[in-house]
Amino acid sequence: MTDRPDWMGAFGSDGVLIGATVEDVAARCGGRAVYLATPYSREVVVAGSLDWGLSMRASVVAAAQIGRLARAGVTAISPIVMAADACHADRALDPLDQAFWSAWCMPLLSACGLVYVPPLPGWARSRGVCAEIEWAMAHQVPVLIGEAL
């Protein structure tokens, strides 16, 4: 994984659809759960420290995407909603422990038949979203990048 991914290079690959609508996600998921890849770490840190209010906001923003997909008949799994809420409830968990959360997310990612990246602020510079897209491409899991909201 790179710090600043070459998105244009990555998007040249088969299996990636840019400008996808929620209807595209519904049509392509084949009834399987969809992995919702949304930014977190770089969006919740201010002056080198975690901002719990921004963490809550990241969770709510991701949850809103689950709602959009649910209305289209798509079951979406959001590791950000689950992990952020777990960290809000149990402050002994470190929401910025990248190695821990990457390993924790892997079973969720592996279980899904498609990765959907909604066009939220920060997605294109997110190391986590980048890693999830790279994993999906390496494992022939379709990636859909959402159209502008």
Side-chain angles (χ1 to χ4, degrees):
M1 180 183 70
T2 59
D3 189 47
R4 288 192 79 190
D6 175 8
W7 291 113
M8 295 312 291
F11 291 161
S13 301
D14 289 338
V16 176
L17 174 63
I18 302 170
T21 64
V22 170
E23 291 76 20
D24 291 328
V25 176
R28 293 175 186 239
C29 72
R32 294 191 60 197
V34 169
Y35 187 94
L36 184 62
T38 58
Y40 182 80
S41 297
R42 291 184 174 181
E43 306 307 309
V44 300
V45 173
V46 176
S49 297
L50 176 73
D51 181 311
W52 287 101
L54 291 176
S55 178
M56 179 65 73
R57 182 181 187 289
S59 178
V60 169
V61 167
Q65 296 300 312
I66 292 173
R68 286 182 67 226
L69 292 164
R71 286 191 305 277
V74 175
T75 299
I77 295 173
S78 171
I80 294 304
V81 170
M82 294 185 290
D85 283 356
C87 291
H88 298 156
D90 180 354
R91 296 285 173 103
L93 290 168
D94 179 0
L96 300 177
D97 184 342
Q98 199 167 24
F100 175 84
W101 292 110
S102 292
W104 182 86
C105 287
M106 192 50 58
L108 301 172
L109 185 55
S110 298
C112 292
L114 184 146
V115 172
Y116 175 59
V117 182
L120 301 175
W123 78 266
R125 64 186 182 98
S126 169
R127 288 183 296 254
V129 172
C130 176
E132 292 156 349
I133 290 171
E134 289 175 349
W135 182 92
M137 291 172 63
H139 292 87
Q140 291 76 49
V141 174
V143 176
L144 278 63
I145 311 293
E147 65 180 354
L149 298 174

